[in-house]
Amino acid sequence: MSKRVLIFDSGVGGLSVYDEIRHVLPNLDYIYLFDNAKFPYGELPAHELVHRCCGLISRVVARHPVDLVVIACNTASTQVLPSLRTLLSVPVVGVVPAIKPAAKLTRNGCIGLLATPATVSRPYTEKLILEFATHHRVLRCGSTELVIQAERKLAGEPVDQARIHEILAPWREADTSPDTIILGCTHFPLLKEEILLALPGVMLVDSGSAVARRVQSLVGGVNDAENGEAWAYCTRLDNKARLLQTALQSYGLESLIEWSE
């Protein structure tokens, strides 16, 4: 049997991580679980976020045994990982803002951290900055609106480029503009083209490839099948979720099912 990986996010942002993992490990089976009933996570209180994620993921794992869980959400990763690891017997991999590689790539010493409001203010994020970018200037922008724009794009709806320009204007107009932008939310790689239109010439850095390498090192040997099975669960199969089905299929996710207890 193929090994199976569960990938979890509040919405479709985790597809950017799933795509990186599937590129290096196409012969695994995948479950993509997104909690759209509580989207967006960036505005949930920490205690509610931990309770929600741990309960939902542990119940899915009880029904569908998996070999590894990926929390493909920066907001959840900064809060949920310790509690979830005590509940599960399989490895749990999270995503963190790519501050370390950004600090190595910047040429002018100014880095932009683009994430959700929760992620930019977490003590964990501050710790990463102090550890890896203490000699650099790190500008922070927390935006829920960009998360919503990414969801709209994947659903085939128009993206509000003017709004993206407005959100990123303070960096564009700063005395020293960041030359390297950390995409500290897994939704944001879905908006790379739009971000580059608003901030021409910057380098964009995310954690997707690093997470894929980590999963590859933990999963170890896999079978010889060319492609494994892949399907998605959502926590609310409403019209908005149905609009995502074509995009999910383009990522190799064969079906979208509403999770029921």
Side-chain angles (χ1 to χ4, degrees), residues 84-149:
L84 190 60
R85 284 169 174 155
T86 65
L87 291 174
L88 302 181
S89 59
V90 297
V92 181
V93 176
V95 294
V96 298
I99 292 167
K100 183 178 180 180
K104 294 179 179 178
L105 288 170
T106 180
R107 297 180 299 271
N108 70 355
C110 187
I111 297 167
L113 172 58
L114 187 60
T116 64
T119 296
V120 297
S121 63
R122 291 277 192 252
Y124 187 83
T125 303
E126 186 65 32
K127 180 182 175 184
L128 289 174
I129 292 171
L130 290 174
E131 185 173 356
F132 298 115
T134 187
H135 299 301
H136 299 300
R137 185 182 183 195
V138 180
L139 306 179
R140 308 184 203 196
C141 176
S143 175
T144 300
E145 177 63 30
L146 288 180
V147 179
I148 295 169
Q149 292 294 329

Side-chain angles (χ1 to χ4, degrees), residues 14-199:
L15 291 173
S16 65
V17 177
Y18 160 69
D19 197 42
E20 294 274 6
I21 299 170
R22 185 166 168 258
H23 178 72
V24 297
L25 294 167
N27 45 0
L28 301 187
D29 289 340
Y30 293 95
I31 301 173
Y32 185 82
L33 168 65
F34 62 104
D35 187 15
N36 57 323
K38 289 293 185 179
F39 173 86
Y41 272 1
E43 298 179 0
L44 284 185
H47 69 278
E48 183 178 347
L49 181 66
V50 173
H51 178 76
R52 176 77 179 178
C53 293
C54 288
L56 181 57
I57 293 167
S58 61
R59 289 191 294 272
V60 173
V61 170
R63 185 182 298 182
H64 298 287
V66 301
D67 297 280
L68 185 142
V69 174
V70 177
I71 306 301
C73 171
N74 293 80
T75 300
S77 292
T78 58
Q79 288 291 313
V80 174
L81 290 178
S83 298
L84 190 60
R85 284 169 174 155
T86 65
L87 291 174
L88 302 181
S89 59
V90 297
V92 181
V93 176
V95 294
V96 298
I99 292 167
K100 183 178 180 180
K104 294 179 179 178
L105 288 170
T106 180
R107 297 180 299 271
N108 70 355
C110 187
I111 297 167
L113 172 58
L114 187 60
T116 64
T119 296
V120 297
S121 63
R122 291 277 192 252
Y124 187 83
T125 303
E126 186 65 32
K127 180 182 175 184
L128 289 174
I129 292 171
L130 290 174
E131 185 173 356
F132 298 115
T134 187
H135 299 301
H136 299 300
R137 185 182 183 195
V138 180
L139 306 179
R140 308 184 203 196
C141 176
S143 175
T144 300
E145 177 63 30
L146 288 180
V147 179
I148 295 169
Q149 292 294 329
E151 292 271 329
R152 288 172 57 87
K153 181 178 181 179
L154 207 69
E157 299 175 10
V159 173
D160 189 344
Q161 184 65 49
R163 184 73 182 107
I164 294 174
H165 269 74
E166 181 184 353
I167 291 167
L168 299 176
W171 286 355
R172 193 170 54 252
E173 298 163 3
D175 292 338
T176 302
S177 298
D179 69 347
T180 305
I181 305 296
I182 302 162
L183 303 180
C185 170
T186 55
H187 278 79
F188 295 168
L190 302 175
L191 293 172
K192 281 183 177 179
E193 294 86 356
E194 291 79 5
I195 292 169
L196 287 171
L197 281 175
L199 297 170

